[in-house]
Amino acid sequence: MVDIIVITDTIVRPKSYEDASDRVKIHLTPWDLSFLRTEYAQRALIFPKPDPETHMISQLKSSLSAALKIFYPYAGRLVKIDNEDDGTRTFFIDCDGSGVKFVHAEAVTVSVSDVLEPANDYWSEFFPANGVKSWEGVSKSLVAFQVTELKDGVFIGFGYNHLVTDGASVWSFFKTWTEIFSTGREKFPPLSLCGWFLGGVDYPIRVPISETVPSHVNGPVASSLVKKIFRFTSRHVSELKAKANCEVVGSDDNLNISSFQAVLGHMWRSIIRNSDLSPEEVIHCKLAMDIRQRLNPPVEKECFGNMVGLATTTTTVGEMLNNGLGWAALQLNKTVGSQTNEELRRFAENWVKNPKIPNSLVVNNTLIVAGSPRFNVFGNDFGWGKPIAVRGGPGIAGHGKILAYPGTEKGSTEIHTSLWSHVLDKLLADEEFLQHVDVACVKM
Protein backbone atom coordinates (compact mmCIF):
# COMPACT_ATOMS: atom_id res chain seq x y z
CA MET A 1 0.00 0.00 0.00
CA VAL A 2 1.19 3.51 -0.77
CA ASP A 3 1.68 5.92 2.13
CA ILE A 4 -1.02 8.46 1.34
CA ILE A 5 -2.64 10.85 3.81
CA VAL A 6 -5.95 12.60 3.13
CA ILE A 7 -5.68 16.17 4.41
CA THR A 8 -9.17 17.41 3.56
CA ASP A 9 -12.29 16.08 1.82
CA THR A 10 -14.57 18.98 0.99
CA ILE A 11 -17.25 20.22 -1.39
CA VAL A 12 -16.49 23.09 -3.77
CA ARG A 13 -19.53 24.99 -4.98
CA PRO A 14 -19.90 27.36 -7.94
CA LYS A 15 -18.82 30.91 -7.23
CA SER A 16 -21.70 33.31 -6.46
CA TYR A 17 -24.31 30.63 -7.07
CA GLU A 18 -27.89 31.75 -6.56
CA ASP A 19 -30.60 29.20 -5.88
CA ALA A 20 -32.87 30.27 -8.71
CA SER A 21 -36.32 28.75 -9.09
CA ASP A 22 -35.79 28.50 -12.86
CA ARG A 23 -32.55 26.48 -12.58
CA VAL A 24 -31.70 24.32 -15.55
CA LYS A 25 -32.80 20.72 -15.96
CA ILE A 26 -30.94 18.52 -18.42
CA HIS A 27 -32.96 15.63 -19.83
CA LEU A 28 -31.07 12.46 -20.66
CA THR A 29 -30.81 10.85 -24.09
CA PRO A 30 -30.47 7.13 -24.92
CA TRP A 31 -26.71 7.64 -25.20
CA ASP A 32 -26.62 9.12 -21.69
CA LEU A 33 -28.83 6.48 -20.11
CA SER A 34 -26.74 3.67 -21.59
CA PHE A 35 -24.09 4.60 -19.00
CA LEU A 36 -26.46 4.40 -16.02
CA ARG A 37 -24.91 1.21 -14.60
CA THR A 38 -21.27 1.96 -15.42
CA GLU A 39 -18.66 3.36 -13.08
CA TYR A 40 -17.43 6.92 -13.32
CA ALA A 41 -14.68 7.33 -15.90
CA GLN A 42 -11.46 8.36 -14.13
CA ARG A 43 -8.43 10.13 -15.54
CA ALA A 44 -5.38 11.93 -14.17
CA LEU A 45 -2.79 14.50 -15.14
CA ILE A 46 0.62 14.48 -13.48
CA PHE A 47 2.33 17.86 -13.12
CA PRO A 48 5.69 19.17 -11.91
CA LYS A 49 5.74 20.46 -8.35
CA PRO A 50 4.87 24.16 -8.09
CA ASP A 51 6.77 26.76 -6.11
CA PRO A 52 5.78 26.62 -2.41
CA GLU A 53 4.68 30.26 -2.64
CA THR A 54 1.95 29.30 -5.13
CA HIS A 55 -0.56 28.41 -2.36
CA MET A 56 -1.68 25.70 -4.71
CA ILE A 57 -4.62 24.14 -2.88
CA SER A 58 -6.43 27.35 -1.97
CA GLN A 59 -5.96 28.69 -5.51
CA LEU A 60 -7.09 25.41 -7.06
CA LYS A 61 -10.28 25.49 -5.02
CA SER A 62 -11.06 29.14 -5.74
CA SER A 63 -10.38 28.76 -9.48
CA LEU A 64 -12.42 25.53 -9.52
CA SER A 65 -15.31 27.43 -7.94
CA ALA A 66 -15.07 30.04 -10.70
CA ALA A 67 -14.91 27.33 -13.38
CA LEU A 68 -18.00 25.64 -11.93
CA LYS A 69 -19.92 28.88 -12.27
CA ILE A 70 -19.35 28.51 -16.03
CA PHE A 71 -19.69 24.72 -16.23
CA TYR A 72 -22.63 24.67 -13.80
CA PRO A 73 -24.03 21.20 -14.72
CA TYR A 74 -21.04 19.58 -13.00
CA ALA A 75 -22.21 21.02 -9.69
CA GLY A 76 -25.68 19.50 -10.04
CA ARG A 77 -27.10 16.14 -9.09
CA LEU A 78 -28.95 13.33 -10.81
CA VAL A 79 -32.68 13.19 -10.04
CA LYS A 80 -34.60 9.91 -10.17
CA ILE A 81 -38.40 9.81 -10.40
CA ASP A 82 -40.47 6.64 -10.01
CA ASN A 83 -43.53 6.54 -12.27
CA GLU A 84 -46.02 4.37 -10.39
CA ASP A 85 -48.49 4.34 -13.28
CA ASP A 86 -46.33 2.15 -15.50
CA GLY A 87 -43.44 0.84 -13.37
CA THR A 88 -40.78 2.99 -14.97
CA ARG A 89 -38.23 5.55 -13.88
CA THR A 90 -37.14 8.81 -15.41
CA PHE A 91 -33.94 10.72 -14.80
CA PHE A 92 -32.63 14.22 -15.33
CA ILE A 93 -29.75 16.41 -14.18
CA ASP A 94 -30.79 19.16 -11.77
CA CYS A 95 -28.25 22.00 -11.98
CA ASP A 96 -28.80 22.91 -8.34
CA GLY A 97 -25.30 24.07 -7.40
CA SER A 98 -24.71 21.31 -4.85
CA GLY A 99 -21.02 21.31 -5.73
CA VAL A 100 -18.26 18.81 -6.44
CA LYS A 101 -16.04 16.65 -4.26
CA PHE A 102 -12.50 17.95 -3.78
CA VAL A 103 -9.92 15.87 -1.93
CA HIS A 104 -6.50 17.14 -0.91
CA ALA A 105 -4.00 14.41 -0.12
CA GLU A 106 -0.28 13.93 0.34
CA ALA A 107 2.06 11.09 -0.62
CA VAL A 108 5.38 12.73 0.11
CA THR A 109 7.38 9.51 -0.16
CA VAL A 110 6.16 8.88 -3.71
CA SER A 111 7.95 10.46 -6.67
CA VAL A 112 6.64 11.13 -10.17
CA SER A 113 8.90 8.37 -11.49
CA ASP A 114 7.26 5.93 -9.06
CA VAL A 115 3.84 6.76 -10.44
CA LEU A 116 4.94 6.55 -14.07
CA GLU A 117 6.64 3.18 -13.85
CA PRO A 118 4.50 0.29 -12.52
CA ALA A 119 0.75 -0.05 -12.94
CA ASN A 120 0.19 -1.21 -9.40
CA ASP A 121 -3.33 -1.27 -8.01
CA TYR A 122 -2.44 1.00 -5.11
CA TRP A 123 -2.36 4.03 -7.41
CA SER A 124 -6.14 3.71 -7.27
CA GLU A 125 -5.92 5.63 -3.99
CA PHE A 126 -4.97 8.69 -6.03
CA PHE A 127 -8.43 8.78 -7.63
CA PRO A 128 -11.60 10.17 -5.99
CA ALA A 129 -14.47 8.11 -7.43
CA ASN A 130 -13.46 4.46 -7.13
CA GLY A 131 -16.40 2.10 -7.49
CA VAL A 132 -18.94 4.92 -7.91
CA LYS A 133 -21.68 4.09 -10.43
CA SER A 134 -23.47 6.65 -12.58
CA TRP A 135 -26.83 6.05 -10.87
CA GLU A 136 -25.24 7.16 -7.58
CA GLY A 137 -25.18 10.70 -8.94
CA VAL A 138 -28.42 11.26 -7.04
CA SER A 139 -26.31 11.80 -3.91
CA LYS A 140 -22.70 11.99 -5.10
CA SER A 141 -21.08 14.79 -7.07
CA LEU A 142 -21.16 14.33 -10.82
CA VAL A 143 -17.47 15.19 -11.03
CA ALA A 144 -14.89 14.61 -8.30
CA PHE A 145 -11.28 15.73 -7.94
CA GLN A 146 -8.32 14.61 -5.89
CA VAL A 147 -5.10 16.58 -5.72
CA THR A 148 -2.27 14.48 -4.29
CA GLU A 149 1.01 16.20 -3.56
CA LEU A 150 3.97 13.95 -4.38
CA LYS A 151 7.61 14.31 -3.39
CA ASP A 152 8.43 16.09 -6.65
CA GLY A 153 5.11 16.60 -8.42
CA VAL A 154 1.33 16.82 -8.28
CA PHE A 155 -1.13 14.12 -9.24
CA ILE A 156 -4.58 15.47 -10.13
CA GLY A 157 -7.04 12.61 -10.46
CA PHE A 158 -10.68 13.11 -11.37
CA GLY A 159 -13.76 11.05 -12.03
CA TYR A 160 -16.83 12.03 -14.02
CA ASN A 161 -20.34 10.77 -14.57
CA HIS A 162 -21.00 9.98 -18.24
CA LEU A 163 -24.67 10.83 -17.81
CA VAL A 164 -23.74 14.51 -17.80
CA THR A 165 -20.52 14.78 -19.77
CA ASP A 166 -18.12 13.22 -22.23
CA GLY A 167 -14.37 13.50 -22.70
CA ALA A 168 -14.59 16.49 -25.05
CA SER A 169 -16.55 18.51 -22.48
CA VAL A 170 -14.33 17.38 -19.60
CA TRP A 171 -11.13 18.50 -21.29
CA SER A 172 -12.78 21.80 -22.29
CA PHE A 173 -13.63 22.33 -18.63
CA PHE A 174 -10.11 21.43 -17.53
CA LYS A 175 -8.65 23.94 -20.00
CA THR A 176 -10.93 26.66 -18.60
CA TRP A 177 -9.97 25.76 -15.02
CA THR A 178 -6.24 26.01 -15.75
CA GLU A 179 -6.71 29.31 -17.55
CA ILE A 180 -8.63 30.81 -14.62
CA PHE A 181 -5.91 29.62 -12.24
CA SER A 182 -2.98 30.89 -14.31
CA THR A 183 -4.39 34.21 -15.56
CA GLY A 184 -7.18 35.18 -13.18
CA ARG A 185 -9.57 35.51 -16.10
CA GLU A 186 -13.12 34.64 -15.11
CA LYS A 187 -15.21 36.00 -17.98
CA PHE A 188 -15.92 33.37 -20.61
CA PRO A 189 -18.70 32.94 -23.17
CA PRO A 190 -21.85 31.40 -21.67
CA LEU A 191 -21.92 27.63 -21.65
CA SER A 192 -23.74 26.20 -24.65
CA LEU A 193 -25.67 23.07 -23.72
CA CYS A 194 -26.16 20.46 -26.41
CA GLY A 195 -29.83 20.44 -25.44
CA TRP A 196 -32.54 18.06 -26.57
CA PHE A 197 -31.64 17.38 -30.20
CA LEU A 198 -33.96 14.42 -30.80
CA GLY A 199 -37.03 15.88 -32.45
CA GLY A 200 -39.85 13.36 -32.47
CA VAL A 201 -38.60 11.61 -29.32
CA ASP A 202 -40.47 12.55 -26.15
CA TYR A 203 -38.66 13.29 -22.91
CA PRO A 204 -38.07 12.46 -20.16
CA ILE A 205 -37.49 8.92 -21.40
CA ARG A 206 -39.25 6.28 -19.32
CA VAL A 207 -37.05 3.29 -18.48
CA PRO A 208 -38.36 0.06 -16.89
CA ILE A 209 -37.26 -0.12 -13.25
CA SER A 210 -35.71 -3.53 -13.92
CA GLU A 211 -33.23 -1.83 -16.26
CA THR A 212 -32.19 0.75 -13.66
CA VAL A 213 -31.48 -1.34 -10.58
CA PRO A 214 -27.83 -1.93 -9.64
CA SER A 215 -26.29 -4.91 -11.36
CA HIS A 216 -24.54 -7.69 -9.49
CA VAL A 217 -22.47 -9.06 -12.34
CA ASN A 218 -19.03 -10.21 -11.27
CA GLY A 219 -16.27 -8.25 -12.94
CA PRO A 220 -13.00 -9.65 -14.29
CA VAL A 221 -10.48 -11.08 -11.88
CA ALA A 222 -8.18 -8.14 -11.27
CA SER A 223 -5.09 -10.30 -10.75
CA SER A 224 -5.31 -11.69 -14.29
CA LEU A 225 -5.67 -8.27 -15.94
CA VAL A 226 -2.55 -6.24 -16.69
CA LYS A 227 -2.32 -2.61 -17.76
CA LYS A 228 0.20 -1.52 -20.35
CA ILE A 229 0.89 1.68 -22.27
CA PHE A 230 2.13 1.49 -25.86
CA ARG A 231 3.60 4.57 -27.48
CA PHE A 232 3.42 5.10 -31.22
CA THR A 233 5.83 7.80 -32.36
CA SER A 234 4.85 10.18 -35.14
CA ARG A 235 6.96 8.06 -37.48
CA HIS A 236 5.15 4.87 -36.49
CA VAL A 237 1.78 6.56 -36.92
CA SER A 238 2.74 7.83 -40.40
CA GLU A 239 4.04 4.41 -41.41
CA LEU A 240 0.90 2.61 -40.26
CA LYS A 241 -1.34 5.15 -42.01
CA ALA A 242 0.62 4.83 -45.27
CA LYS A 243 0.60 1.02 -45.05
CA ALA A 244 -3.16 0.87 -44.40
CA ASN A 245 -4.01 3.27 -47.22
CA CYS A 246 -1.67 1.48 -49.62
CA GLU A 247 -3.44 -1.82 -48.93
CA VAL A 248 -6.91 -0.43 -49.74
CA VAL A 249 -5.94 1.41 -52.91
CA GLY A 250 -7.86 0.05 -55.88
CA SER A 251 -10.59 -1.53 -53.79
CA ASP A 252 -14.24 -0.66 -54.25
CA ASP A 253 -14.03 1.13 -50.95
CA ASN A 254 -11.12 3.38 -51.79
CA LEU A 255 -11.47 5.57 -48.72
CA ASN A 256 -8.92 7.55 -46.77
CA ILE A 257 -7.84 5.72 -43.64
CA SER A 258 -7.08 8.12 -40.78
CA SER A 259 -4.02 7.90 -38.57
CA PHE A 260 -6.08 6.77 -35.59
CA GLN A 261 -7.93 4.13 -37.62
CA ALA A 262 -4.59 2.73 -38.75
CA VAL A 263 -3.17 2.62 -35.21
CA LEU A 264 -6.37 1.12 -33.83
CA GLY A 265 -6.50 -1.44 -36.65
CA HIS A 266 -2.94 -2.47 -35.81
CA MET A 267 -3.79 -2.84 -32.11
CA TRP A 268 -6.97 -4.81 -32.79
CA ARG A 269 -5.36 -7.25 -35.23
CA SER A 270 -2.41 -7.78 -32.92
CA ILE A 271 -4.53 -8.42 -29.82
CA ILE A 272 -6.75 -10.87 -31.70
CA ARG A 273 -3.72 -12.62 -33.21
CA ASN A 274 -2.45 -13.30 -29.70
CA SER A 275 -5.74 -14.21 -28.04
CA ASP A 276 -5.95 -17.92 -28.98
CA LEU A 277 -9.49 -17.58 -30.35
CA SER A 278 -11.11 -19.92 -32.86
CA PRO A 279 -11.42 -18.60 -36.44
CA GLU A 280 -15.22 -18.71 -36.33
CA GLU A 281 -15.53 -16.63 -33.15
CA VAL A 282 -17.25 -13.26 -33.57
CA ILE A 283 -15.27 -10.23 -32.39
CA HIS A 284 -16.21 -6.57 -31.92
CA CYS A 285 -14.53 -3.20 -31.64
CA LYS A 286 -16.67 -0.53 -29.97
CA LEU A 287 -15.34 2.94 -30.62
CA ALA A 288 -16.64 5.84 -28.52
CA MET A 289 -17.13 8.65 -31.00
CA ASP A 290 -18.38 12.23 -30.89
CA ILE A 291 -21.73 12.54 -32.67
CA ARG A 292 -22.09 16.34 -32.44
CA GLN A 293 -21.26 17.04 -36.07
CA ARG A 294 -22.98 13.90 -37.39
CA LEU A 295 -26.45 15.14 -36.63
CA ASN A 296 -28.51 17.15 -39.10
CA PRO A 297 -28.69 19.91 -38.23
CA PRO A 298 -25.45 19.48 -36.28
CA VAL A 299 -25.26 20.74 -32.72
CA GLU A 300 -22.51 23.19 -31.85
CA LYS A 301 -19.09 21.59 -31.99
CA GLU A 302 -18.21 22.94 -28.53
CA CYS A 303 -21.59 22.32 -26.88
CA PHE A 304 -21.54 20.81 -23.39
CA GLY A 305 -22.89 17.37 -22.60
CA ASN A 306 -22.44 13.69 -23.30
CA MET A 307 -22.50 13.28 -27.06
CA VAL A 308 -20.75 9.92 -27.28
CA GLY A 309 -22.09 7.03 -29.30
CA LEU A 310 -20.54 3.58 -29.53
CA ALA A 311 -19.79 2.68 -33.14
CA THR A 312 -19.46 -1.12 -33.30
CA THR A 313 -17.40 -2.95 -35.89
CA THR A 314 -18.10 -6.69 -36.06
CA THR A 315 -16.21 -9.45 -37.84
CA THR A 316 -14.76 -12.90 -37.14
CA VAL A 317 -11.31 -13.94 -36.02
CA GLY A 318 -10.78 -15.74 -39.32
CA GLU A 319 -11.68 -12.69 -41.41
CA MET A 320 -9.45 -10.48 -39.29
CA LEU A 321 -6.39 -12.71 -39.53
CA ASN A 322 -6.86 -13.65 -43.20
CA ASN A 323 -6.70 -9.97 -44.15
CA GLY A 324 -4.15 -7.23 -43.54
CA LEU A 325 -3.96 -3.97 -41.66
CA GLY A 326 -5.67 -2.05 -44.46
CA TRP A 327 -8.72 -4.34 -44.34
CA ALA A 328 -9.04 -4.02 -40.55
CA ALA A 329 -8.68 -0.24 -40.66
CA LEU A 330 -11.17 -0.06 -43.51
CA GLN A 331 -13.80 -1.89 -41.45
CA LEU A 332 -13.35 0.71 -38.72
CA ASN A 333 -13.56 3.46 -41.33
CA LYS A 334 -16.82 2.05 -42.70
CA THR A 335 -18.34 1.84 -39.23
CA VAL A 336 -17.46 5.43 -38.44
CA GLY A 337 -18.89 6.52 -41.80
CA SER A 338 -22.13 4.64 -41.13
CA GLN A 339 -22.89 6.83 -38.12
CA THR A 340 -25.12 9.19 -40.07
CA ASN A 341 -27.91 11.41 -38.83
CA GLU A 342 -30.45 8.87 -40.04
CA GLU A 343 -28.71 5.97 -38.31
CA LEU A 344 -28.32 7.86 -35.04
CA ARG A 345 -31.96 8.93 -34.97
CA ARG A 346 -33.08 5.42 -35.87
CA PHE A 347 -31.08 4.09 -32.92
CA ALA A 348 -32.66 6.62 -30.55
CA GLU A 349 -36.20 5.96 -31.76
CA ASN A 350 -35.78 2.21 -31.39
CA TRP A 351 -34.09 2.50 -28.00
CA VAL A 352 -36.91 4.44 -26.36
CA LYS A 353 -39.36 1.76 -27.47
CA ASN A 354 -37.35 -0.93 -25.68
CA PRO A 355 -34.74 0.60 -23.34
CA LYS A 356 -31.86 -1.72 -22.49
CA ILE A 357 -29.10 -0.61 -20.16
CA PRO A 358 -26.05 -2.90 -20.18
CA ASN A 359 -24.62 -4.24 -16.93
CA SER A 360 -21.15 -3.82 -18.39
CA LEU A 361 -19.72 -2.18 -21.47
CA VAL A 362 -16.84 -4.66 -21.54
CA VAL A 363 -17.81 -8.11 -22.83
CA ASN A 364 -15.97 -11.11 -24.23
CA ASN A 365 -14.06 -10.74 -27.51
CA THR A 366 -14.68 -7.00 -27.56
CA LEU A 367 -12.38 -3.99 -27.62
CA ILE A 368 -13.84 -0.86 -26.01
CA VAL A 369 -12.00 2.25 -27.20
CA ALA A 370 -12.34 5.57 -25.39
CA GLY A 371 -10.38 8.80 -25.42
CA SER A 372 -8.91 10.45 -28.49
CA PRO A 373 -5.48 11.50 -29.77
CA ARG A 374 -7.17 14.82 -30.58
CA PHE A 375 -7.85 15.72 -26.94
CA ASN A 376 -5.60 18.60 -25.94
CA VAL A 377 -4.57 17.03 -22.64
CA PHE A 378 -1.06 18.51 -22.63
CA GLY A 379 -2.35 22.04 -23.20
CA ASN A 380 -3.57 22.25 -19.61
CA ASP A 381 -1.11 24.37 -17.65
CA PHE A 382 -1.90 25.86 -14.24
CA GLY A 383 1.22 27.98 -14.50
CA TRP A 384 3.81 25.69 -12.97
CA GLY A 385 4.46 23.56 -16.04
CA LYS A 386 2.62 21.46 -18.58
CA PRO A 387 1.52 17.93 -17.67
CA ILE A 388 4.21 15.29 -17.56
CA ALA A 389 1.79 12.47 -18.32
CA VAL A 390 -1.85 11.47 -18.58
CA ARG A 391 -3.18 8.31 -16.96
CA GLY A 392 -6.43 6.40 -16.77
CA GLY A 393 -7.78 5.33 -13.41
CA PRO A 394 -10.10 2.66 -12.05
CA GLY A 395 -13.53 2.62 -13.64
CA ILE A 396 -14.88 0.85 -16.69
CA ALA A 397 -12.44 -2.05 -16.83
CA GLY A 398 -11.91 -5.45 -18.32
CA HIS A 399 -9.95 -7.26 -21.01
CA GLY A 400 -9.97 -5.17 -24.16
CA LYS A 401 -10.46 -1.73 -22.58
CA ILE A 402 -8.36 0.81 -24.48
CA LEU A 403 -7.75 4.49 -23.86
CA ALA A 404 -6.21 6.63 -26.59
CA TYR A 405 -4.37 9.89 -25.93
CA PRO A 406 -1.87 12.09 -27.70
CA GLY A 407 1.72 11.44 -26.75
CA THR A 408 4.14 14.07 -25.49
CA GLU A 409 5.80 14.21 -28.94
CA LYS A 410 3.82 16.04 -31.61
CA GLY A 411 1.96 13.56 -33.81
CA SER A 412 2.51 10.63 -31.46
CA THR A 413 -0.20 8.51 -29.84
CA GLU A 414 -0.38 6.62 -26.56
CA ILE A 415 -2.58 3.54 -26.30
CA HIS A 416 -3.39 2.53 -22.71
CA THR A 417 -4.54 -1.08 -22.55
CA SER A 418 -6.06 -3.49 -20.07
CA LEU A 419 -5.50 -7.08 -21.19
CA TRP A 420 -5.44 -10.63 -19.88
CA SER A 421 -1.88 -11.34 -18.75
CA HIS A 422 -1.41 -14.27 -21.12
CA VAL A 423 -2.51 -12.15 -24.10
CA LEU A 424 -0.16 -9.34 -23.11
CA ASP A 425 2.76 -11.74 -22.71
CA LYS A 426 2.29 -12.98 -26.28
CA LEU A 427 1.76 -9.45 -27.58
CA LEU A 428 5.09 -8.34 -26.11
CA ALA A 429 6.82 -11.16 -28.00
CA ASP A 430 5.04 -10.43 -31.31
CA GLU A 431 7.64 -8.98 -33.69
CA GLU A 432 5.00 -7.95 -36.26
CA PHE A 433 3.30 -5.84 -33.61
CA LEU A 434 6.44 -4.43 -31.98
CA GLN A 435 8.01 -3.17 -35.22
CA HIS A 436 5.47 -0.31 -35.17
CA VAL A 437 5.75 0.52 -31.47
CA ASP A 438 8.43 2.45 -29.61
CA VAL A 439 9.60 -0.49 -27.51
CA ALA A 440 11.72 1.72 -25.25
CA CYS A 441 8.60 3.61 -24.30
CA VAL A 442 6.36 0.60 -23.70
CA LYS A 443 5.32 1.15 -20.09
CA MET A 444 3.36 -0.59 -17.41
Side-chain angles (χ1 to χ4, degrees):
M1 295 291 290
V2 66
D3 186 15
I4 184 171
I5 299 173
V6 173
I7 308 300
T8 58
D9 186 341
T10 58
I11 292 291
V12 175
R13 292 183 170 83
K15 183 177 181 179
S16 305
Y17 178 80
E18 297 181 3
D19 187 13
S21 59
D22 59 348
R23 64 195 188 203
V24 175
K25 293 182 180 180
I26 300 176
H27 292 284
L28 304 180
T29 69
W31 293 278
D32 302 327
L33 291 167
S34 294
F35 287 98
L36 190 65
R37 285 169 160 166
T38 64
E39 291 185 23
Y40 279 36
Q42 297 199 94
R43 308 287 184 261
L45 289 177
I46 303 167
F47 292 90
K49 196 175 185 68
D51 187 285
E53 300 299 317
T54 302
H55 304 295
M56 178 183 69
I57 297 301
S58 61
Q59 287 196 49
L60 281 174
K61 293 172 78 170
S62 62
S63 56
L64 175 59
S65 178
L68 289 172
K69 183 178 180 181
I70 302 164
F71 288 80
Y72 57 88
Y74 285 147
R77 292 293 183 270
L78 178 68
V79 175
K80 174 184 69 177
I81 297 176
D82 287 344
N83 305 304
E84 297 181 359
D85 58 327
D86 61 359
T88 64
R89 282 179 176 151
T90 52
F91 299 86
F92 64 88
I93 303 298
D94 183 6
C95 302
D96 62 0
S98 290
V100 305
K101 179 177 181 177
F102 184 95
V103 177
H104 172 211
E106 290 183 347
V108 294
T109 62
V110 178
S111 67
V112 169
S113 60
D114 293 330
V115 176
L116 295 183
E117 284 305 318
N120 294 323
D121 289 341
Y122 55 69
W123 301 132
S124 64
E125 295 183 38
F126 288 18
F127 291 88
N130 297 328
V132 180
K133 300 291 184 70
S134 294
W135 56 266
E136 295 182 79
V138 295
S139 59
K140 297 183 181 294
S141 64
L142 301 178
V143 180
F145 299 92
Q146 180 170 324
V147 179
T148 303
E149 297 187 68
L150 310 176
K151 180 165 59 177
D152 56 355
V154 179
F155 189 108
I156 301 183
F158 57 96
Y160 58 93
N161 191 319
H162 251 307
L163 296 178
V164 70
T165 190
D166 58 15
S169 290
V170 163
W171 291 113
S172 176
F173 164 82
F174 215 102
K175 179 66 175 174
T176 300
W177 184 17
T178 59
E179 189 169 340
I180 292 172
F181 185 104
S182 61
T183 68
R185 174 190 173 195
E186 292 189 13
K187 290 188 177 181
F188 289 82
L191 188 69
S192 173
L193 297 178
C194 292
W196 190 260
F197 54 86
L198 294 170
V201 176
D202 292 333
Y203 62 87
I205 295 173
R206 295 193 169 212
V207 181
I209 290 178
S210 61
E211 289 294 318
T212 69
V213 296
S215 61
H216 300 285
V217 176
N218 292 327
V221 180
S223 60
S224 57
L225 285 172
V226 183
K227 294 180 180 179
K228 198 81 167 179
I229 298 175
F230 297 98
R231 183 180 178 215
F232 294 82
T233 66
S234 57
R235 177 177 63 83
H236 291 132
V237 172
S238 297
E239 288 174 352
L240 286 169
K241 181 179 180 180
K243 176 177 171 62
N245 278 291
C246 181
E247 290 181 8
V248 299
V249 167
S251 69
D252 293 336
D253 302 290
N254 189 12
L255 305 173
N256 183 45
I257 304 299
S258 71
S259 296
F260 185 43
Q261 288 164 1
V263 170
L264 184 54
H266 182 61
M267 284 297 312
W268 192 17
R269 287 190 77 245
S270 302
I271 291 171
I272 294 302
R273 188 169 58 246
N274 292 286
S275 294
D276 299 323
L277 299 175
S278 301
E280 66 274 7
E281 288 199 56
V282 177
I283 54 176
H284 312 276
C285 180
K286 295 187 176 184
L287 175 62
M289 59 180 293
D290 190 330
I291 65 173
R292 287 171 174 82
Q293 297 297 297
R294 294 182 174 274
L295 298 167
N296 187 19
V299 298
E300 289 185 36
K301 187 177 181 180
E302 305 298 330
C303 74
F304 176 91
N306 173 44
M307 296 293 287
V308 166
L310 286 178
T312 303
T313 304
T314 299
T315 184
T316 65
V317 173
E319 283 184 305
M320 174 68 75
L321 300 185
N322 288 334
N323 290 282
L325 169 65
W327 183 90
L330 184 58
Q331 307 317 301
L332 296 169
N333 181 289
K334 288 179 180 179
T335 299
V336 170
S338 71
Q339 301 302 296
T340 62
N341 176 69
E342 293 74 22
E343 182 61 30
L344 293 169
R345 292 185 182 278
R346 186 180 303 113
F347 165 80
E349 291 167 359
N350 291 334
W351 195 91
V352 297
K353 295 174 184 176
N354 185 28
K356 293 293 181 182
I357 298 175
N359 288 316
S360 173
L361 294 179
V362 182
V363 296
N364 289 338
N365 299 347
T366 299
L367 257 61
I368 297 282
V369 185
S372 171
R374 295 181 179 178
F375 288 158
N376 184 25
V377 298
F378 291 102
N380 296 293
D381 188 346
F382 286 101
W384 63 76
K386 291 185 177 182
I388 299 169
V390 58
R391 288 294 183 267
I396 302 171
H399 172 70
K401 176 64 192 295
I402 286 178
L403 292 176
Y405 286 108
T408 52
E409 173 209 5
K410 184 178 180 180
S412 65
T413 297
E414 284 189 358
I415 300 294
H416 300 216
T417 64
S418 176
L419 300 169
W420 296 124
S421 58
H422 70 277
V423 175
L424 181 60
D425 288 343
K426 294 184 68 175
L427 190 64
L428 292 175
D430 184 343
E431 293 186 5
E432 182 180 346
F433 169 68
L434 292 176
Q435 67 177 319
H436 295 293
V437 178
D438 189 348
V439 180
C441 291
V442 172
K443 297 179 180 179
M444 293 298 289

